[in-house]
Amino acid sequence: MKIGIVGLGLIGGSLGLKLQSLNHTIYGVANNEVNEKKAKEKKLANFVSCELSLLKQCELIILALPIKDLINPSKQLVASIPKETIVTDVGSVKETIVNKWENLHPLFIGSHPMAGTEQKGVDSGFEDLFENAKWIITPTQNSDCNAVRTLSELIKSMNCEICQASPKEHDQAVSLISHLPIFLASALIETVNTKNNQSLLDLTQKLAATGFADTSRVGGGNAQLGIDLAINNQMNVLNTINNFKNKLNKLESLIKEKNWELLSKKLAEAKEIRGNFID
């Protein structure tokens, strides 16, 4: 297929590399001339330009843009997409994006690959980012069945597992397993940064190893993403933070009460439950 990718950062660049390996012809749109040059050097697409007119010949277009640019797309971007072209996005919230784009384009299908790193920008893409990843699609009653089928086949061809949910269900689910961890990791990082005790800070920085790296990784990512999630999935994020605080308060109470038996039970339950989420 002739596939357009708007935005050649971590997700868009990785898609460009992967889809080229599957013999698709990729038309990549960069946001400035510096990134256009870098994208060409890294061969993120067969054709790279800052000009949106590049999209006119595409059969399918993937919008790999920041959430704010998906919710408020430029008139030039919307006008450059042919009405017969299938369009999807890779944004990590869905209700606001789907509501916007279903009114802009007849063949829009919301989607979201559950893959990423703390890196960003045109230098961060790599071909294997999506290997064995979950990829959520969020069709609605307005969605074109043929467009859903074509998009699904493309996603499966990248060795991804498709999950289907409504935009609302998606936003509720990712607030728990994706958005909440970003804010928890941020709070954890702030907690260990004991600026008022330099010797303790020096020691903890030396001792920090894989456990801290695993639990804090998503707090070291793109700060703008965290802001966009808080703004555009606010109620779900607040509900999950409140629920987490209640759970943490209960653990705190058990420690204060020296109720080691119930604390042990809670920790054992958490270990068992984790296996339902992580293989």
Side-chain angles (χ1 to χ4, degrees):
M1 297 177 67
K2 294 180 179 179
I3 299 174
I5 301 176
V6 184
L8 296 172
L10 173 64
I11 301 297
S14 298
L15 279 170
L17 293 169
K18 181 62 177 180
L19 291 171
Q20 283 180 87
S21 75
L22 298 174
N23 297 318
H24 298 288
T25 303
I26 307 304
Y27 299 80
V29 177
N31 61 339
N32 59 53
E33 291 181 357
V34 172
N35 284 337
E36 177 186 351
K37 181 180 178 182
K38 289 182 180 179
K40 287 178 178 177
E41 291 172 351
K42 291 178 66 66
K43 298 181 180 178
L44 299 182
N46 300 98
F47 305 94
V48 181
S49 175
C50 292
E51 298 298 324
L52 290 166
S53 58
L54 196 69
L55 301 175
K56 290 294 184 182
Q57 52 206 317
C58 296
E59 302 163 74
L60 186 147
I61 292 172
I62 302 169
L63 305 174
L65 295 168
I67 292 172
K68 61 183 178 64
D69 295 328
L70 290 168
I71 294 171
N72 295 298
S74 69
K75 292 181 180 178
Q76 293 86 348
L77 172 60
V78 176
S80 69
I81 300 175
K83 292 300 182 185
E84 65 276 12
T85 298
I86 299 168
V87 183
T88 191
D89 74 304
V90 293
S92 47
V93 297
K94 290 273 73 81
E95 271 204 283
T96 50
I97 293 172
V98 170
N99 289 341
K100 181 70 174 186
W101 275 91
E102 281 196 337
N103 290 319
L104 294 175
H105 196 279
L107 298 180
F108 179 82
I109 310 294
S111 79
H112 176 207
M114 300 299 293
T117 72
E118 63 271 29
Q119 303 301 317
K120 66 175 184 176
V122 75
D123 293 318
S124 59
F126 59 100
E127 184 178 322
D128 293 333
L129 177 63
F130 307 103
E131 191 69 25
N132 297 318
K134 305 290 195 305
W135 194 311
I136 307 169
I137 60 171
T138 59
T140 71
Q141 60 183 6
N142 303 316
S143 300
D144 180 270
C145 293
N146 290 329
V148 173
R149 188 179 304 111
T150 299
L151 176 61
S152 298
E153 290 173 355
L154 182 69
I155 292 170
K156 289 177 183 176
S157 74
M158 291 187 281
N159 294 325
C160 295
E161 178 184 340
I162 289 185
C163 305
Q164 186 168 317
S166 70
K168 181 177 181 179
E169 289 171 333
H170 167 276
D171 288 357
Q172 290 173 332
V174 295
S175 73
L176 289 163
I177 48 86
S178 182
H179 301 177
L180 176 63
I182 290 173
F183 301 105
L184 300 189
S186 178
L188 171 62
I189 293 166
E190 188 174 357
T191 300
V192 302
N193 190 35
T194 54
K195 294 180 180 179
N196 60 335
N197 188 333
Q198 189 61 47
S199 62
L200 178 60
L201 178 61
D202 291 342
L203 180 59
T204 52
Q205 287 176 342
K206 288 180 181 178
L207 295 178
T210 54
F212 179 74
D214 290 343
T215 52
S216 65
R217 180 184 68 81
V218 292
N222 184 352
Q224 185 59 51
L225 175 61
I227 294 296
D228 289 342
L229 299 178
I231 291 172
N232 296 291
N233 203 18
Q234 183 184 32
M235 290 310 302
N236 285 322
V237 168
L238 288 175
N239 287 338
T240 57
I241 288 175
N242 186 59
N243 193 22
F244 178 83
K245 287 194 295 185
N246 291 336
K247 301 296 184 187
L248 188 61
N249 287 339
K250 288 180 181 178
L251 293 176
E252 181 186 30
S253 296
L254 293 177
I255 294 170
K256 283 181 178 179
E257 297 163 5
K258 299 182 180 180
N259 192 338
W260 310 130
E261 182 179 351
L262 187 51
L263 179 61
S264 177
K265 182 180 178 182
K266 287 286 186 183
L267 295 175
E269 286 176 351
K271 177 182 178 180
E272 184 175 348
I273 292 169
R274 184 178 184 272
N276 297 325
F277 294 88
I278 304 295
D279 293 332

